[in-house]
Amino acid sequence: MSMTGKHRRKSVKRTIVLAAAAGIALTGVAQAQQIVVQGNRRVDADTIRSYVTGTASGSAEEARRNLLASGMFADVKVAASGGRTVVTVRENNLINRVVFEGNKKIEKATLEGQVEAKARGAFNEAVIKSDMARIKEVYRRAGRGTAKVTYRTVDLPNGSIDVIYQIDEGDKTGIVSITFVGNNAVSERTLKGLVSSSEMNFLSFIKTSDVYDPDRIANDLDLVRRYYLRKGYADFRIVNADARYVEGPDANGWVITVTVEEGEQYTVGAVAVDSRLPGLDTKNLDGEIRTTVGDVYNAEDVEKTLSGLTNDVARAGYPFAQVRPTGQRDRATHQVSLGFVVEDGPRVYVERINIRGNTRTRDYVIRRELDIAEGDAYNRVLTDRAERRLNGLGFFKKVRFSNEPGSSPDRVVINIDVEDQPTGSFSVAGGYSTQDGIIGEVSVSESNFLGRGQYVRVAGTGGQYSRGVDFSFTEPYFLGYRLAAGFDAFYKYSDLTRYSRYETTVYGGQLRIGLPVTEAFGVTLRYSLYNTELKVPNSIKQPYNDCSNPIPGITSVYPNGAQLNGRDVSGLAQYPACAYNGEASIAIKGSQGNTLTSLAGLTLAYSTLDVIGAPRNGLYAELKPDVAGLGGDSKFFRVTGDARYYKELYEDVVGFVRLQGGHIEALDSNPLRITDQFFLGPSLVRGFAPNGIGPRDVGTTDARSNAIGGSTYVGGTLEIQFPLPYVPRDLGLKGAVFADAGTLFGYHGRTTFDVNGDNFINGTAPGGACNFNAFNIGVEPECVNVRDKAVIRSSVGASILWNSPLGPIRFDYAYALSKDEGLKVFVPTLGKYGHIGADQTQAFRFSGGSRF
């Protein structure tokens, strides 16, 4: 009985619930039936009724507002009539297409990504007005703050409309001025030189750095902050950065005012590593400390020390250890005591790494820059370093790391938000140099090829005296390791007849793989295979070993029975027909043809430069040993070295010291080919012409034909670069004074006789020669009279350097202080003494290029 009662009570409850639900449903149907919808064409009537019945208060006004807010209707009326609610709507027209008119500076695709009005969407005037504001913002950020945007619609027969945004782009409105307030230790000129933003000037028509960009300004402020922290201003802070758009009768644009608080400059008073981990010997960590007592405090050195210590401690078997920097400022002595505390960190693991926003760059390109992976111990220092690496790639407009809790307290999720930016470039470049003449280049490059982080470049050059094609490919993570592997293919023709008497064509390829040993030191393995073809454009067409034909009006022939060094020379042309037919040295003529070179080498490079391209402080040094002989025609060992040291002497005044040298030695008994030897001029000592110094063939009187190259060179440069007074810094002009010294010597070619004395008078041969007579030098076909003196060549001069928007341009004027004056000879036809084999000078040198 009791069980039956319980079932009855449950049955009654279910009946009551069902009845209530049915009643509510009937009430809703009744309400919907009492709502009459008028004017709708596309929107379903039940959808409109749901906005009315779904109002909390049931008021007509609330229903009207809700319907208008839906964006589907241009007008809505809600009224009561005869116990019914009548809703009259006027639907927004459908948009057939969205059109932009007047946009020349900004592409259509960019604008389409900013507007919310879309084809096949409902027209909404509020959305259109918001779109106009967004379009104006796009133009404002592009440096056109006076742009005006209006819209109009065009009715179409099918009831839809075209929305047309009419744009008046206006004039460019860039940055009128950048002002720093509160800077006492560092000049405004220096601070303006740090930032990438610049003020408008007469070059504004070809530059974009004067366009106001909030993201770029934020990056500029970080550059200023990091500069002060590198210079020891540990208390530095940016108080305010104000950007105001001003309009005036003379110009419209942005005024940027940055207020800073420098504080005092600190030096390092003490450095210590405090280990709180049992068994960790801090002496093994001393090698990672980048700063010493007495140094000016440098925040970047602290960051590098943190990174190095963290890696060393982790390798020592403490994966959860963290290194925490400490700094105790002594404001009286302006010293800071640095401490690096090594202690156990929280045992937190990386549960997941989310990469978001990369629409083009592949995930693995980002992940390979991380020294941390899922499942590893979480370390903030390693994620900070990864963030710096990703920013340094140049693939992204912005990179932001953030953390969120994982599935348990000992788990963390790392989020990496990036925004891809264009990484390809097409450029047309042109320039002129005193060596190459007018030259042009067209190149296409991509530093993030197919989103894989690979670098590809194709370039073609053509000009007065050279032309060529280059192709390069680099994979920065070969086989998944931090190895930069790549290859190059090249072809280059050079007309050297302005400074020599030959032309060369070189084509071939190179394989390379680079290994970064530390952040400052790297090793690159190279293998090259290339062919060199040397031609002598001989206008008289007389081979070097054919002395049977005299040059009419220039040479005579030996009489019958004439003997020269026991050799019958009857009827043969006297000098200069054998050695000199108006063009090239015998050494050069003997090197005509093709030479295949198979070469393996290393590049050992060390760099502590603060800024690549325009360094102020630091050292760059490289050593390149090469061996040729793995097949091919050339067999030699060659080593070259180059070291450059930069030091900022005063504010904006940079001293520069350079040492360079090289040596090449044949690996067998055969002489070096002339194309393997060093030919130098202004690249070693300014003030001398290309091929203007070094061993020369004095058997020819043509200054352009007698450079035959050397096997050893050394050189040094002292230079001071400084800003030009009263010249705005953003023009990129600097001055320089310099002193160069160097020498090239050691010709190791075909059969030679040294002619290293200073005089040749009345048949006396200084040092011996192939064949001399009383009036001129008689030369046998297989012999070269070489003047090869290790004379120090030196010069002083001044330069104008212009980092123009069209590329770097440099003007050098040098005066040669010392040189090889050559061999003094008496010229009977002139009745006076002259010199042969002298160095060739060139006081003015200009080089430059453009990119537009």
Side-chain angles (χ1 to χ4, degrees), residues 242-449:
D242 179 55
R244 292 181 298 109
Y245 183 78
V246 298
E247 297 183 3
D250 298 327
N252 299 324
W254 292 91
V255 174
I256 312 296
T257 304
V258 181
T259 303
V260 302
E261 186 177 294
E262 292 178 327
E264 298 294 336
Q265 187 181 49
Y266 287 82
T267 58
V268 178
V271 184
V273 177
D274 177 14
S275 174
R276 299 177 184 176
L277 299 177
L280 180 64
D281 187 358
T282 59
K283 291 182 179 180
N284 297 329
L285 305 177
D286 290 343
E288 294 296 337
I289 298 177
R290 304 297 183 91
T291 187
T292 58
V293 174
D295 289 349
V296 173
Y297 171 76
N298 187 329
E300 286 191 357
D301 287 342
V302 174
E303 290 178 358
K304 292 177 181 178
T305 300
L306 275 176
S307 180
L309 291 175
T310 299
N311 286 336
D312 279 5
V313 172
R315 283 195 293 265
Y318 302 89
F320 294 100
Q322 63 180 15
V323 182
R324 178 169 49 85
T326 62
Q328 304 248 340
R329 295 179 178 85
D330 187 335
R331 302 187 186 277
T333 61
H334 299 149
Q335 290 185 332
V336 57
S337 297
L338 295 176
F340 299 93
V341 179
V342 185
E343 58 190 0
D344 253 333
R347 294 184 174 272
V348 177
Y349 296 89
V350 177
E351 178 176 315
R352 190 171 64 256
I353 299 176
N354 296 323
I355 299 174
R356 304 180 300 206
N358 53 317
T359 57
R360 181 168 178 267
T361 304
R362 310 202 180 189
D363 274 16
Y364 69 82
V365 174
I366 298 173
R367 290 182 183 274
R368 68 192 185 189
E369 298 297 332
L370 310 178
D371 292 325
I372 196 170
E374 282 94 343
D376 289 351
Y378 174 75
N379 191 301
R380 178 62 183 271
V381 173
L382 298 182
T383 59
D384 287 346
R385 182 166 66 179
E387 186 171 1
R388 290 194 298 270
R389 282 178 179 170
L390 290 173
N391 276 308
L393 290 176
F395 299 167
F396 310 107
K397 186 175 181 180
K398 64 180 181 180
V399 178
R400 188 174 67 88
F401 276 56
S402 61
N403 298 335
E404 64 181 53
S407 58
S408 62
D410 64 343
R411 297 288 187 270
V412 65
V413 176
I414 300 175
N415 296 318
I416 305 175
D417 293 285
V418 301
E419 182 181 341
D420 282 300
Q421 67 179 0
T423 52
S425 69
F426 170 80
S427 66
V428 179
Y432 175 82
S433 74
T434 46
Q435 180 169 344
D436 298 323
I438 298 173
I439 191 169
E441 177 187 85
V442 177
S443 67
V444 178
S445 65
E446 172 58 68
S447 60
N448 189 14
F449 183 62

Side-chain angles (χ1 to χ4, degrees), residues 128-148:
I128 299 297
K129 289 181 178 179
S130 297
D131 285 347
M132 291 193 297
R134 278 188 285 270
I135 294 172
K136 290 185 68 174
E137 177 63 17
V138 171
Y139 274 93
R140 184 181 67 83
R141 293 171 69 96
R144 295 186 176 270
T146 60
K148 299 177 180 178

Side-chain angles (χ1 to χ4, degrees), residues 722-740:
F722 51 86
L724 295 176
Y726 310 112
V727 176
R729 177 161 188 157
D730 64 343
L731 293 184
L733 285 170
K734 292 191 296 184
V737 292
F738 61 83
D740 294 340

